Amino acid sequence: MSSVISSTGIGSGLDINSIVSSLTTAKAAPETNALNRSKTALTAEVSAFGTFNSALATFQATLATLQDPTKLATRTATLADSTIATATASSGAVAGQYSVQLQNLATAASLSSQPVASATTAIGTGTLTLAVGAASTSITIDGTNNTLQGIVAAINSAPNNPGVSASILTTTAGARLILSGTATGAANAISVTQSGGDGGLASLVYVPNGTKNLTQTQAAQDASFSVNGYAATSPGNVVGSVISGVTLNLLKPTAANTPTTLTIGNDTQSAQTSIGTFVTALNGLQTSIQSLTGYNAATKTAGPLLGNQTLLSFQSQLSKILGQVNSSISGGPNSLAALGIAANPQGTFSTNATTLSNALTASVDSVAKLLSGSNGIATQLNTFVTQYTQAGGLLDTINTSLQSSLNNISKQQADLTARMAIYSASLTAEYNAMDTAVALLKQTQTYLTQAFSTNSGSSSTSTSSNTGLGGGTLNTGG
């Protein structure tokens, strides 16, 4: 607390500033200490709940994979000859082996014109109509764009281009117009017709079942292959509609009568990794709770949330979910313990890698049934944890309440500071008044002392003179 004056009392000689400061501090001390203790405790609670929330968020993040059977019970897809094709499989794919024979890849159409002197040689004017499947566009060619360069630019910039890319190939024989389809498949053959103008564009006409003034350098065709001896086709080289849950990416034809083997299996490694990550995060959460709510006998230090009912209740419900046995599951693991995940005396969990691996190898779908779906353990855990972590949830409510209490303490501290400032000013005024009174008294004392000293001196002089007169000898002369 600051004082109005900072000098020593003129009249009393007392250090008024120090006296007022000490008295003000002493008066404020009980309330100040109480407020500081409350603030320290509340701040520790805010920090503790923040630590809990962080561990909870890390734990909840691991549940996303476990509660989704399509992510947990995934499949692997492997081809014996990966130069022929690659493959991926979803959880819906059936484990097994398939024989794949690839005759040819799906291709896009490619057409070439006869050579002309150069790219700037005039070809003709009129209207070119390009069609791919059911889509088409008409392009006007006039004196401004009637060369190969102009025609290429007009085709590539056409707003309704049906899927044709134009370019120029210059060789020793001259410049050629190249038209390439942008989509593979037999349905995407290119057709070029012309009308009007000077007739020069007739050299670019190509109708698959009619006039062919352009040369087809590559036909638009479907991929042709067989699976387990059954013929199949696809307009593209990415095939996802032949084997359920499997997508093939075709790369090159196989040698005649030399199929390659596609194997669909269970991805137990990914599932084991996901479950291991879950257990690690669970242990982190348990350790965090123990640290926050425990008591260290050696250091005689209590956790900031010792006895907190929110965390005690959370831990109780968490243990209940983790320890449940799903009696509706038969022929597979029906509890975490059956997966080799067991609680330790310290409150954390350990995993028997062999037990877990055996369960996944036997049936990753059975493991997924225990953990995933509407009644799976991971789903129940996520629903439970969300009650705490969601916006407006329990932790949000607790934090809001703690912050409100901290704000209230800050207000009380500000009020106390204001009251002590008034108290300090009042004391200072009283001490100043006292000092002034003392100064006046000292002045009076000094005056009286001087007055008495003066009167005493005068009396002594008079007495001495009188004594001299009375004691002298009268000289009458003579």
Side-chain angles (χ1 to χ4, degrees), residues 51 69 79 129 192 200-201 230 323 333 344 395 423 425 430 444 459 464 473:
T51 300
L79 283 104
T129 299
V192 184
L201 296 179
Y230 296 101
N344 300 317
L395 292 182
Y423 177 72
E430 291 178 11
T444 302
S459 298
S464 175
T473 299

Side-chain angles (χ1 to χ4, degrees), residues 89-90 92-94 98 240-247 264:
S90 69
V94 178
Y98 301 85
S241 59
V242 175
I243 304 173
S244 180
V246 178
T247 299
I264 307 300

Side-chain angles (χ1 to χ4, degrees), residues 154-180:
I155 291 173
N156 290 337
S157 62
N160 297 313
N161 188 308
V164 177
S165 175
S167 62
I168 296 173
L169 177 64
T170 302
T171 67
T172 55
R176 299 173 185 268
L177 172 68
I178 304 297
L179 298 179
S180 303

Side-chain angles (χ1 to χ4, degrees), residues 77-91:
T78 309
L79 283 104
D81 186 350
S82 59
T83 66
I84 302 301
T86 59
T88 57
S90 69
S91 59

Side-chain angles (χ1 to χ4, degrees), residues 15 34 70 86 92 138 170 185 193 197 219 227 249 254 261 322 342 361 381 421 467:
D15 187 348
T70 65
T86 59
S138 294
T170 302
T193 58
V227 177
N249 181 26
T254 53
T261 301
L322 294 172
T361 301
L381 287 171
T467 298

Side-chain angles (χ1 to χ4, degrees), residues 86-451:
T86 59
T88 57
S90 69
S91 59
V94 178
Q97 291 188 328
Y98 301 85
S99 176
V100 179
Q101 176 81 47
L102 177 58
Q103 284 77 38
N104 60 265
L105 295 172
T107 55
S110 181
L111 305 174
S112 173
S113 70
Q114 294 300 311
V116 295
S118 70
T120 58
T121 300
I123 304 300
T125 60
T127 299
L128 275 180
T129 299
L130 281 69
V132 177
S136 66
T137 189
S138 294
I139 302 170
T140 298
I141 305 298
D142 54 29
T144 64
N145 62 354
N146 64 343
T147 63
L148 284 187
Q149 284 183 344
I151 293 171
V152 166
I155 291 173
N156 290 337
S157 62
N160 297 313
N161 188 308
V164 177
S165 175
S167 62
I168 296 173
L169 177 64
T170 302
T171 67
T172 55
R176 299 173 185 268
L177 172 68
I178 304 297
L179 298 179
S180 303
T182 57
T184 61
N188 293 312
I190 300 173
S191 173
V192 184
T193 58
Q194 71 87 35
S195 62
D198 59 14
L201 296 179
S203 63
L204 303 181
V205 169
Y206 182 87
V207 180
N209 295 321
T211 303
K212 297 179 180 178
N213 293 332
L214 293 178
T215 300
Q216 179 175 265
T217 55
Q218 180 171 275
Q221 66 178 8
D222 290 341
S224 180
F225 57 98
S226 64
V227 177
N228 290 350
Y230 296 101
T233 60
S234 170
N237 292 314
V238 178
V239 184
S241 59
V242 175
I243 304 173
S244 180
V246 178
T247 299
L248 290 169
N249 181 26
L250 307 178
L251 300 176
K252 74 174 186 180
T254 53
N257 302 316
T258 310
T260 188
T261 301
L262 168 65
T263 302
I264 307 300
N266 292 322
D267 188 3
T268 58
Q269 186 56 53
S270 292
Q272 193 157 0
T273 299
S274 296
I275 292 172
T277 302
F278 158 75
V279 174
T280 298
L282 173 60
N283 286 338
L285 177 61
Q286 293 286 69
T287 301
S288 176
I289 293 174
Q290 290 171 8
S291 174
L292 296 172
T293 61
Y295 179 79
N296 190 321
T299 61
K300 298 181 180 180
T301 304
L305 297 179
L306 176 66
N308 184 275
Q309 288 303 309
T310 297
L311 264 68
L312 293 177
S313 175
F314 173 87
Q315 200 164 32
S316 175
Q317 294 179 69
L318 177 65
S319 297
K320 184 177 180 180
I321 296 174
L322 294 172
Q324 68 180 280
V325 176
N326 191 335
S327 58
S328 67
I329 297 178
S330 59
N334 59 2
S335 66
L336 290 181
L339 294 181
I341 302 172
N344 300 317
Q346 298 81 10
T348 56
F349 289 77
S350 60
T351 304
N352 186 309
T354 301
T355 302
L356 177 59
S357 178
N358 289 340
L360 290 169
T361 301
S363 176
V364 70
D365 292 319
S366 295
V367 176
K369 186 176 182 181
L370 171 66
L371 300 176
S372 310
S374 59
N375 196 42
I377 291 176
T379 304
Q380 293 181 53
L381 287 171
N382 188 59
T383 300
F384 168 58
V385 171
T386 299
Q387 297 173 13
Y388 288 77
T389 59
Q390 66 186 347
L394 188 55
L395 292 182
D396 242 6
T397 301
I398 290 173
N399 187 61
T400 298
S401 176
L402 290 174
Q403 293 298 336
S404 177
S405 296
L406 282 172
N407 290 337
N408 185 47
I409 286 177
S410 294
K411 183 178 182 301
Q412 291 181 61
Q413 287 177 321
D415 290 344
L416 176 61
T417 298
R419 284 190 282 111
M420 289 302 100
I422 294 173
Y423 177 72
S424 176
S426 177
L427 282 180
T428 300
E430 291 178 11
Y431 272 93
N432 283 340
M434 177 273 294
D435 190 66
T436 300
V438 170
L440 290 173
L441 288 173
K442 284 186 173 182
Q443 288 177 7
T444 302
Q445 180 187 32
T446 300
Y447 172 77
L448 291 174
T449 299
Q450 291 175 348

